[in-house]
């Protein structure tokens, strides 16, 4: 199949002004996918931002129903080309084709959800009420917005950033990850076919240097970043040092799953094995710390061992429909995960199953279960972002909550119990932006997604995600004139 490698600026595909390129290798078998991915230069970034700036007032002035119609058309095109877009994602970062196909339909729903808001951006009004002033609050777009996507679920992250921004009347410059640029590059033709005017959506590729240019650009009003906590800090610093642009950050996680003694063990094992491994553990909200009540620990741990060993049999080439679990995104991510596993062995952490490479080619790591009571172990405290889960026991509810909150992250938590009162009580005490009960966490178009503490600031998804792209303007009218 053909692969689009160019930048998309002002509704045109263009090569990099410097000719710089990056290469993508298949994580399934190490073969070269493309060595012609164009890397945006500073001049290219400026050109994309200028195009978005020139298009802003026209797009904002476009009637809400018309903006919504174009967005709905784009959603239809995403679904029409789902197989192609899914294959491009699988080729680049190894997400199994069966999973990546489903994940194209989810962003289509996000685009439709926000399209519905495009003509419903209401303001507020307040009567004089003794001060002689009639007061209006209007909500207006920010201007040129930008987004930097992580590589694990490109389509969802792009939709979370672009759809609410465009519904609100903003224009956009988005950058794909250097690990997974292929699918987003293909959006350009769909952008034109949907009817977006030139400059409304611009698509860039490249590594961290391109993201730094966007974070520090003086004509960008808002930047939304998904990625590591370390890079998120740099984005926030660059934003503050440039023009104090609005920033939203969706960063790392070390989410906890709490399995109480009355939990349905079969259900808890399913969500902490197959569901946890759905993208080979490369999900920021994946519950990679499992805390299980000591009274059921032996039974639960043995079931987890069986489930992870079975999952290994489902690993394979990302482009095969029969593959359930794929490789890690690239060699760098593979090396990072293996380094964690090597250090865990040196630290005396017990490896219940897995813990090593699978196969001679590709970036496959066997699904791994680690057992440790040491809360200072690196594999217990730090985000691994791979098919590696740690299990630890707890004594009671208070102990479980304390252990769950003992982290610098706060993206998600899951609770497994048959007692709904306990579930809600514990949920209220967890320091996390998302909580799921008796299930692994799956984002919804209707609810906000984001974290507490060092898991980020701001929210994506739901009404909160739309508010991230609006600013309030207060207008006061003196009603006493002419009396």
């Amino acid at each position: 199949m053909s692969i689009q490698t160019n930048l998309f600026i002002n509704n045109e595909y263009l090569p990099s002004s410097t000719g710089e390129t990056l290469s993508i290798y298949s994580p399934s078998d190490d073969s070269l996918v493309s060595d012609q991915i164009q890397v945006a230069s500073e001049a290219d970034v400026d050109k994309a931002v200028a195009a978005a700036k020139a298009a802003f007032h026209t797009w904002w002035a476009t009637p809400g129903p018309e903006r919504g119609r174009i967005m709905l058309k784009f959603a239809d095109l995403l679904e029409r080309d789902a197989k192609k877009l899914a294959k491009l994602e699988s080729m680049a970062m190894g997400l199994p084709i069966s999973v990546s196909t489903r994940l194209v339909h989810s962003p289509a729903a996000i685009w439709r959800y926000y399209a519905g808001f495009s003509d419903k951006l209401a303001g507020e009004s307040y009567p004089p009420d003794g001060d002689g002033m009639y007061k209006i609050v209007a909500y207006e777009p920010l201007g040129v917005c930008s987004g930097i996507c992580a590589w694990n679920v490109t389509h969802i992250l792009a939709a979370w950033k672009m759809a609410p921004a465009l519904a609100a009347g903003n224009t956009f410059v988005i950058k794909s990850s250097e690990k997974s640029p292929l699918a987003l590059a293909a959006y350009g033709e769909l952008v034109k076919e949907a009817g977006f005017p030139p400059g409304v959506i611009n698509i860039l590729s490249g590594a961290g240097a391109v993201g730094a240019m966007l974070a520090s650009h003086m004509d960008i009003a808002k930047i939304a970043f998904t990625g590591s906590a370390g890079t998120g800090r740099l984005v926030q610093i660059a934003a503050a040092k440039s023009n104090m642009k609005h920033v939203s950050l969706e960063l790392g996680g070390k989410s906890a799953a709490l399995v109480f003694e009355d939990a349905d063990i079969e259900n808890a094992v399913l969500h902490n094995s197959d569901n946890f491994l759905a993208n080979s553990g490369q999900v920021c909200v994946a519950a990679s710390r499992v805390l299980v009540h000591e009274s059921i620990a032996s039974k639960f741990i043995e079931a987890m061992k069986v489930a992870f060993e079975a999952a290994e049999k489902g690993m394979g080439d990302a482009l095969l429909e029969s593959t359930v679990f794929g490789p890690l995104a690239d060699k760098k991510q593979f090396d990072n995960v293996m380094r964690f596993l090597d250090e865990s062995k040196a630290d005396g952490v017990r490896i219940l199953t897995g813990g090593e490479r699978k196969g001679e080619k590709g970036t496959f790591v066997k699904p791994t279960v680690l057992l440790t009571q040491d809360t200072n172990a690196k594999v217990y405290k730090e985000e691994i972002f791979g098919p590696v889960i740690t299990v630890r026991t707890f004594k009671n509810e208070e102990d479980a909550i304390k252990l769950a909150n003992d982290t610098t992250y706060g993206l998600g938590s899951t609770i497994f119990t048959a007692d709904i009162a306990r579930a809600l009580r514990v949920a209220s005490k967890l320091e996390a932006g998302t909580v799921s009960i008796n299930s692994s966490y799956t984002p919804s178009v209707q609810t906000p997604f984001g974290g507490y503490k060092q898991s980020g600031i701001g929210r994506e998804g739901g009404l909160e995600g739309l508010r991230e792209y609006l600013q309030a303007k207060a207008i006061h009218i003196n009603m006493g004139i002419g009396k």
Side-chain angles (χ1 to χ4, degrees):
M1 66 182 296
S2 62
I3 297 175
Q4 179 57 250
T5 61
N6 286 322
L7 313 173
F8 184 75
I9 300 173
N10 209 31
N11 274 17
E12 291 185 292
Y13 276 115
L14 303 170
S16 167
S17 61
T18 62
E20 182 182 355
T21 61
L22 59 84
S23 299
I24 298 293
Y25 293 87
S26 167
S28 292
D29 60 11
D30 304 326
S31 62
L32 178 67
V33 175
S34 175
D35 59 0
Q36 295 299 311
I37 308 301
Q38 301 295 298
V39 175
S41 66
E42 186 173 3
D44 297 324
V45 170
D46 286 343
K47 187 172 184 178
V49 174
K53 186 175 181 180
F56 168 60
H57 287 289
T58 300
W59 180 246
W60 180 19
T62 300
E66 176 63 9
R67 291 202 304 269
R69 185 196 65 77
I70 296 172
M71 292 174 65
L72 290 172
K73 176 65 173 177
F74 184 74
D76 291 343
L77 296 174
L78 286 178
E79 290 192 322
R80 185 197 68 187
D81 290 0
K83 289 185 178 180
K84 174 186 175 181
L85 295 170
K87 186 174 182 180
L88 289 169
E89 191 79 344
S90 298
M91 290 166 61
M93 55 73 62
L95 186 66
I97 191 71
S98 59
V99 179
S100 58
T101 302
R102 294 199 305 271
L103 289 185
V104 178
H105 291 279
S106 179
I110 295 170
W111 280 92
R112 292 189 178 108
Y113 175 81
Y114 285 112
F117 278 109
S118 60
D119 61 351
K120 302 176 185 66
L121 301 174
E124 303 158 13
S125 65
Y126 299 91
D129 200 24
D131 62 3
M133 291 288 183
Y134 186 83
K135 297 164 284 286
I136 298 171
V137 180
Y139 293 93
E140 300 179 349
L142 302 171
V144 178
C145 297
S146 182
I148 302 174
C149 291
W151 42 265
N152 55 336
V153 283
T154 301
H155 297 293
I156 292 176
L157 299 177
W160 270 349
K161 292 167 175 55
M162 290 196 290
L166 298 178
N170 301 282
T171 53
F172 217 89
V173 180
I174 194 158
K175 188 192 88 69
S176 58
S177 166
E178 67 274 21
K179 297 182 192 294
S180 57
L182 305 184
L184 206 54
Y187 275 23
E189 293 298 339
L190 308 187
V191 167
K192 291 193 290 184
E193 188 175 349
F196 285 105
V200 173
I201 295 177
N202 303 273
I203 304 168
L204 304 178
S205 51
V210 182
M213 294 174 201
L214 294 171
S216 60
H217 204 287
M218 295 299 290
D219 286 333
I220 291 177
K222 156 75 189 281
I223 189 161
F225 169 79
T226 301
S228 70
T231 305
R233 289 189 184 93
L234 297 178
V235 169
Q236 191 168 27
I237 290 170
K241 285 185 174 180
S242 53
N243 61 343
M244 295 288 287
K245 59 177 61 65
H246 296 243
V247 177
S248 59
L249 305 171
E250 196 272 281
L251 308 177
K254 193 68 177 178
S255 299
L258 286 63
V259 184
F260 288 93
E261 67 275 13
D262 61 346
D264 181 320
I265 291 184
E266 183 178 352
N267 178 65
V269 169
L270 170 66
H271 287 285
N272 287 288
S273 58
D274 285 10
N275 287 13
F276 169 80
L277 294 167
N279 194 8
S280 296
Q282 299 170 119
V283 179
C284 53
V285 78
S288 56
R289 288 186 301 141
V290 179
L291 308 173
V292 58
H293 192 272
E294 58 187 10
S295 68
I296 61 167
S298 59
K299 183 178 180 180
F300 177 83
I301 290 169
E302 181 58 30
M304 285 283 285
K305 179 177 182 291
V306 171
F308 270 59
E309 289 174 346
E312 182 185 333
K313 299 174 184 176
M315 298 185 77
D317 189 323
L319 295 179
L320 297 178
E321 289 287 349
S322 58
T323 295
V324 181
F325 307 110
L328 297 179
D330 64 359
K331 181 67 163 51
K332 182 178 179 181
Q333 187 63 19
F334 172 83
D335 290 343
N336 185 56
V337 172
M338 293 306 299
R339 184 165 54 251
F340 269 105
L341 292 175
D342 291 341
E343 290 176 359
S344 72
K345 296 171 186 176
D347 291 341
V349 174
R350 181 184 171 192
I351 299 177
L352 184 65
T353 186
E356 57 190 20
R357 178 177 191 148
K358 176 179 172 63
E360 297 180 357
K361 288 186 176 182
T363 54
F364 295 92
V365 173
K366 293 182 178 181
T368 302
V369 179
L370 304 176
L371 303 181
T372 183
Q373 290 293 104
D374 182 6
T375 57
N376 290 315
K378 188 175 181 180
V379 291
Y380 179 85
K381 293 181 71 71
E382 296 185 20
E383 185 178 42
I384 301 174
F385 225 62
V388 181
I389 203 165
T390 62
V391 181
R392 189 196 190 282
T393 61
F394 66 84
K395 296 181 179 297
N396 52 43
E397 183 178 308
E398 182 181 5
D399 186 31
I401 294 169
K402 182 179 179 181
L403 287 168
N405 290 337
D406 183 22
T407 173
T408 58
Y409 295 112
L411 189 56
S413 282
T414 56
I415 302 166
F416 295 89
T417 177
D419 185 342
I420 189 61
R422 168 193 273 166
L424 294 175
R425 182 172 63 247
V426 172
S428 70
K429 296 178 181 179
L430 293 176
E431 297 166 355
T434 66
V435 179
S436 188
I437 297 169
N438 291 325
S439 171
S440 49
Y441 191 83
T442 301
S444 164
V445 296
Q446 298 165 317
T447 56
F449 183 84
Y452 287 13
K453 297 189 280 191
Q454 292 184 39
S455 284
I457 56 175
R459 293 294 184 267
E460 293 183 316
L463 182 57
E464 289 298 317
L466 180 69
R467 288 173 176 153
E468 293 282 342
Y469 292 94
L470 292 166
Q471 54 190 342
K473 175 181 286 183
I475 303 170
H476 292 192
I477 305 167
N478 182 354
M479 302 300 289
I481 299 297
K483 278 191 176 180

